[in-house]
Amino acid sequence: MLRVVVLGAAAGGGVPQWNCGCEGCRAARNGGPELHRTQASVAFSGDGENWFLINASPDLRQQLNATPQLHPEAGALRHTPVAGVILTNSEVDAVAGLLSMRESSPFTIYAHEKVLAILASNSIFNVLNEKHVRRQPIGINEPFEPRLADGARSGLEVLPFAVSGKSAWYLEGKAHPGGDSGDGDTLGLKITDKSTGKYFYFIAACADVSDALKAEIDGASLVFFDGTVWRDDEMIRAGLGQKTGKSMGHVAMSGEDGAIARLADLTLDRKIFLHINNSNPALLPASSERKAVEAAGWQIPADGTEIVL
């Protein structure tokens, strides 16, 4: 049985963001905790006991403590059910949480060679002692079975595939440690429970919804998809920045080329937006944008949401 827990649903900075006074952040501060979101990550398991994370957000310590499924087992002095972390990109909001996992518990980091090269180029990640924390490269369109902490088979299959995106913003104008050619900076994942055949997709960063991507995910029972901004120029209009969503590697929810319109003709049982920026008005339950999202069959998840396939 494939289980998935949303650890965090927000984009970088979370909601409320520490230095932001936009409408969404004000509402989160002044409203109830149900408006709060930590930075995007999910955990999944095939047996309910051993878990794998997709990305390690800067809020990971908080997320682990808030998720009973990821607590140490009763009576153990040191233990974690987290057997591995799969990285889909090298942005700060996908890798910074690794630094909170430095207490010598065994697990494996799975990532494309370009992302692993970025980790290797920054000595701060050496706190993850390779005697305990393996770094395993993964290839595009090359399925693999993540292993449990003791090396046993997990019964799960992960298929990484390339999606439209970009390298981490902190590398703009600099040499990429993994080289500037080829895909690998932004991945989508298909996660399958081999015993049941159940699967879901995770695509938290996507700059364009291509026909190839549509063909890949059509028919899925569960898709987590990039919901960073409602409209492409959202941050510019709000006075929060000078970049469009697409220039940051994120397709908008709305518009003719947005995710809602481009994926409307697919058969998807459950569609969930993830990596939602604090500027996105769809976060607000009473907004017209939230109503449009829900009318199109999409969901905005709360942190801690669990789904069983």
Side-chain angles (χ1 to χ4, degrees), residues 16 23-33 35-36:
E23 182 180 5
C25 289
R26 291 199 310 272
R29 289 191 185 95
N30 298 326
L35 294 178
H36 290 216

Side-chain angles (χ1 to χ4, degrees), residues 25-88:
C25 289
R26 291 199 310 272
R29 289 191 185 95
N30 298 326
E34 67 275 3
L35 294 178
H36 290 216
R37 299 290 190 282
T38 58
Q39 294 166 86
S41 176
V42 306
F44 66 91
S45 173
D47 60 12
E49 296 181 3
N50 299 279
W51 292 79
F52 296 89
L53 311 182
I54 302 180
N55 296 334
S57 89
D59 297 320
L60 183 58
R61 177 183 173 278
Q62 175 183 344
Q63 293 167 344
L64 293 175
N65 285 330
T67 308
Q69 299 93 321
L70 303 181
H71 291 176
E73 64 183 8
L77 288 177
R78 288 292 177 95
H79 169 263
T80 177
V82 177
V85 181
I86 305 167
L87 302 178
T88 64

Side-chain angles (χ1 to χ4, degrees), residues 37 227 229-230 234 253 260 273 276-294 299-300:
R37 299 290 190 282
V229 293
W230 172 253
E234 174 177 300
M253 289 182 178
I260 292 175
F273 279 124
I276 306 164
N277 200 52
N278 58 74
S279 62
N280 191 329
L283 277 170
L284 300 173
S287 68
S288 60
E289 292 83 0
R290 172 66 76 87
K291 291 180 173 62
V293 165
E294 294 175 345
Q299 294 175 279
I300 304 290

